[in-house]
Amino acid sequence: MVKEILSTELAPEPDITHIVTEDDTPVDNFLSEKQQRLLTEVLYNGWVPPAETQNFIAAANVGVFYSIGLPPLVPDVFLSIDVTMPSDWGEKKNRSYFVWQFGKTPDVVIEIVSNREGNELGSKLKDYARMGVPYYAVFDPLQMLGEQPLRAYQLNIRQYLEMHNFWFAEIGIGLTLWSGVFEGKEDIWLRWCDQNGDVLPTGTESAQLAREQAQLAQQEAIAAKERTAQLEAQLKALGIEPDQ
């Protein structure tokens, strides 16, 4: 009997010594900085991906490298599910999102328009489609690109088609515009939401909700105790001794 022995060798990792992963470019404005933090913090506050075993990475202003010969794309925010954050950030290959290292592209990329030079609806839309990102969203809070503040696209055979809603079914999460206060600033914010359109809470909102629920439970306990006392008093007035 002839046995065929199949052997495979792991391909060597690409040489990334020449790649610049951090260039110290500052965030462009307060609005973008707060919006980015709102979108990433909420996910780590308690969002659970569709499958229980899935981990995820949410990041802002981190380079996404998808080809060794091309410069990275740097989304304002991205979400990638079913991947794990590297434990050793001392290694250069773990400090940015190298697609070949994680084995997949991010699932959602969000760009926040802060000027007319970002080309979010032009070259970036084509670049993210070429990269293979399933969902691409453009938030235009100052309406620099038109009257539509939020646009979302889904990849379809290497090109994006604009979506009629902002629910990303394959990931189990969506986007919505929310009017309210975040970190002391009242504005229209872009928020993650569930399928019903309810926003995913921040840590502050979760803590506030917990306090309100605790106060409500305490008030209900006090009210129940007062009702019991009133009933006992009524029974005694009728000559009936309440059971002890």
Side-chain angles (χ1 to χ4, degrees):
M1 180 181 295
V2 178
K3 295 183 179 179
E4 294 183 358
I5 301 176
L6 300 179
S7 63
T8 58
E9 295 183 1
L10 294 177
E13 293 186 356
D15 179 13
I16 61 172
T17 56
H18 64 288
I19 290 179
V20 177
T21 56
E22 304 96 354
D23 61 6
D24 297 324
T25 301
V27 175
D28 50 4
N29 58 53
F30 286 126
L31 188 157
S32 293
E33 188 272 338
K34 282 186 177 292
Q35 180 64 79
Q36 291 164 4
R37 189 167 60 257
L38 173 58
L39 288 168
T40 54
E41 186 269 349
V42 162
L43 294 174
Y44 286 108
N45 180 56
W47 178 63
V48 179
E52 294 180 359
T53 58
Q54 286 183 329
N55 297 311
F56 68 89
I57 294 175
N61 277 329
V62 172
V64 179
F65 294 81
Y66 66 104
S67 176
I68 197 68
L70 295 175
L73 297 177
V74 187
D76 286 316
V77 174
F78 74 77
L79 167 63
S80 185
I81 64 174
D82 207 16
V83 294
T84 302
M85 183 72 74
S87 58
D88 183 7
W89 287 345
E91 293 190 60
K92 189 172 186 177
K93 66 179 183 179
N94 294 336
R95 295 204 297 268
S96 292
Y97 195 100
F98 294 100
V99 171
W100 57 85
Q101 196 74 26
F102 287 96
K104 63 185 292 290
T105 65
D107 296 277
V108 182
V109 160
I110 300 173
E111 290 287 358
I112 302 165
V113 180
S114 56
N115 54 56
R116 292 184 175 87
E117 300 175 1
N119 214 4
E120 287 83 3
L121 299 180
S123 61
K124 282 186 179 179
L125 186 141
K126 294 178 181 178
D127 289 340
Y128 287 121
R130 186 181 300 111
M131 182 189 291
V133 175
Y135 295 102
Y136 174 54
V138 177
F139 179 43
D140 186 12
L142 303 179
Q143 296 182 314
M144 293 186 174
L145 304 182
E147 297 181 357
Q148 190 173 340
L150 179 60
R151 296 175 174 88
Y153 302 85
Q154 184 172 11
L155 192 64
N156 181 33
I157 313 179
R158 301 193 58 160
Q159 66 177 0
Y160 282 123
L161 297 180
E162 188 164 1
M163 301 174 65
H164 300 295
N165 57 57
F166 307 115
W167 176 248
F168 309 141
E170 295 179 2
I171 307 170
I173 199 170
L175 290 170
T176 188
L177 297 178
W178 175 81
S179 178
V181 178
F182 174 62
E183 295 184 347
K185 182 68 171 69
E186 184 172 4
D187 212 325
I188 303 295
W189 300 97
L190 182 63
R191 299 284 299 264
W192 296 108
C193 67
D194 61 21
Q195 195 166 6
N196 297 321
D198 298 324
V199 298
L200 305 187
T202 65
T204 300
E205 290 168 343
S206 294
Q208 178 62 29
L209 179 61
R211 286 193 295 270
E212 292 175 354
Q213 291 175 337
Q215 291 174 356
L216 180 60
Q218 184 179 27
Q219 292 170 359
E220 291 177 346
I222 293 173
K225 188 175 181 179
E226 291 176 347
R227 288 194 297 270
T228 299
Q230 291 174 357
L231 179 58
E232 290 178 350
Q234 292 173 353
L235 291 175
K236 288 180 179 179
L238 295 173
I240 302 173
E241 191 65 28
D243 294 335
Q244 298 296 326

